[in-house]
Amino acid sequence: MDTQMKRGLLDVCVLAAIQYEDSYGYQIIKDMKPYMELSESTLYTILKRLEAAKLLTVRTAEHDGRLRKYYQITDKGKERIEEFKNDWKEMMSIYQFITREDKVNE
Amino acid sequence: MNKEEFLNELKKGLSGIPENDRNERVTFYSEMIDDRIEEGMSEEEAVSAIGDVNKIISQIMAETPMTTIVKERVNKKKGGISPSTLILIVILFPLWLPILAVVFGLTIALFATLWSLVVAFYAVTVALVVGGAISIVWVLGMLFTGHLTGAALGVGAGLFCIGLGILMVFGCIAFTKGAIKLTVDVLVSIKKKLVGKENQ
């Protein structure tokens, strides 16, 4: 897959992992595991990118006597997911056009 | 490898990136290991689940822009020079400046010599071909005046020059390639010296 496309896809996947409730690093990796293998370093880079783009915010909270970082989606982040869904709809109709059966010559 | 060893290795391997970034990454991995241990893994298992620390380091270094690494290095160097070293450098200024100038001059001279040789090679080649061609044309003139022996000699010499010239074209190409390679190699090694070994 084209790297630019993959990068965009990964961004949306991580946003989707936190779209309903705040989550933390290891939980995100576990939630995504059935769909795609994501390494810690890759996740770190994505989270940094999303934070810089203000698509999510980070807060540190105490958990079991240690600190853990929680990631919360912003409205802008939710918009990004919606954009992705709309883009994908468009892509699907193009896909149908590309893979349509030849009716004229049948 | 236990958690502490892993995090120490990571910290050491990432010494080339800014401190904030480094600490944040180390904290991130520390949290990842703790979360796995909490889930029931042993410390060793949790660390090995993260992956090979050297691979992680090289991936991070590859992702970090070159400018960030160089900037960090320069910052570190600034802090690393003690006042006494600085004074020594300033006092010895009359000594190291000429040396630096000589090294610089020698490098330039080396390149100049190398490339003048390349130019000379081409000049000789062109001279041979053009000279050969002119001698043949000139000899054709001699034919009309009846100097047959002279004409034969002239044609022979002309053809020889042209042939030699054509052969030398190949030599020129090889020589130019060599000169380019040498120039690039020298420039790259100078750059490496300036930037330092860690960043390759």
Side-chain angles (χ1 to χ4, degrees):
Chain A
M1 204 190 284
D2 172 59
T3 40
Q4 201 62 39
M5 197 171 170
K6 200 170 177 184
R7 181 189 274 196
L9 198 60
L10 281 170
D11 284 4
V12 177
C13 281
V14 171
L15 285 174
I18 58 170
Q19 64 178 328
Y20 300 121
E21 56 177 341
D22 301 358
S23 189
Y24 53 93
Y26 184 47
Q27 188 62 45
I28 295 173
I29 287 187
K30 276 201 295 186
D31 288 343
M32 286 176 69
K33 201 158 193 165
Y35 308 99
M36 65 166 78
E37 204 67 45
L38 191 66
S39 78
E40 275 77 5
S41 13
T42 313
L43 178 63
Y44 181 89
T45 313
I46 298 168
L47 288 170
K48 273 278 145 191
R49 188 163 60 224
L50 295 176
E51 191 191 350
K54 296 194 165 61
L55 300 177
L56 60 76
T57 55
V58 190
R59 72 187 157 84
T60 310
E62 204 185 305
H63 164 83
D64 207 22
R66 60 186 170 91
L67 295 176
R68 195 193 248 165
K69 274 188 174 170
Y70 288 88
Y71 305 93
Q72 183 177 28
I73 195 164
T74 61
D75 287 339
K76 210 176 158 193
K78 285 175 184 162
E79 272 167 38
R80 171 62 62 87
I81 296 181
E82 288 312 308
E83 269 168 38
F84 175 83
K85 287 183 193 166
N86 291 331
D87 286 351
W88 208 250
K89 258 181 221 156
E90 222 172 284
M91 289 274 270
M92 284 314 285
S93 73
I94 294 168
Y95 174 82
Q96 266 158 16
F97 170 72
I98 292 169
T99 57
R100 76 194 185 287
E101 298 286 328
D102 187 354
K103 288 189 186 108
V104 185
N105 292 325
E106 259 169 30
Chain B
M1 196 186 264
N2 65 27
K3 184 186 155 193
E4 206 186 321
E5 284 167 342
F6 178 89
L7 296 179
N8 280 338
E9 283 287 307
L10 187 65
K11 217 171 188 170
K12 216 165 63 186
L14 294 180
S15 60
I17 69 173
E19 201 179 349
N20 292 342
D21 194 12
R22 179 169 64 241
N23 288 339
E24 205 176 331
R25 282 183 191 269
V26 172
T27 316
F28 182 81
Y29 282 98
S30 166
E31 185 193 304
M32 286 289 180
I33 295 169
D34 285 337
D35 279 331
R36 284 190 163 86
I37 293 171
E38 191 180 290
E39 209 186 39
M41 280 189 194
S42 73
E43 195 176 321
E44 297 273 323
E45 281 170 345
V47 170
S48 63
I50 302 279
D52 179 40
V53 67
N54 291 320
K55 253 189 208 157
I56 292 170
I57 292 167
S58 33
Q59 197 193 335
I60 294 170
M61 291 310 275
E63 278 171 12
T64 311
M66 188 67 180
T67 46
T68 311
I69 296 172
V70 172
K71 227 186 264 169
E72 181 61 16
R73 213 182 137 76
V74 170
N75 284 341
K76 263 194 190 147
K77 269 204 173 153
K78 265 185 201 155
I81 296 178
S82 63
S84 55
T85 320
L86 201 66
I87 290 170
L88 208 65
I89 291 174
V90 173
I91 289 175
L92 292 179
F93 171 80
L95 190 69
W96 61 256
L97 189 73
I99 295 175
L100 198 71
V102 167
V103 171
F104 184 73
L106 276 177
T107 314
I108 300 283
L110 183 89
F111 281 136
T113 313
L114 183 69
W115 285 99
S116 355
L117 272 174
V118 172
V119 171
F121 230 77
Y122 277 101
V124 169
T125 309
V126 171
L128 275 172
V129 174
V130 172
I134 289 175
S135 116
I136 289 173
V137 173
W138 189 47
V139 153
L140 285 179
M142 283 174 85
L143 268 182
F144 292 110
T145 53
H147 295 85
L148 271 180
T149 330
L153 211 69
V155 170
L159 283 176
F160 178 74
C161 286
I162 292 174
L164 198 64
I166 290 170
L167 272 180
M168 272 188 68
V169 169
F170 295 107
C172 279
I173 292 169
F175 193 33
T176 312
K177 275 184 186 161
I180 290 173
K181 195 179 175 304
L182 192 67
T183 309
V184 170
D185 283 354
V186 170
L187 289 181
V188 165
S189 71
I190 289 174
K191 190 183 158 203
K192 276 181 183 170
K193 283 257 159 49
L194 289 177
V195 175
K197 274 182 193 152
E198 291 109 286
N199 309 320
Q200 275 129 55

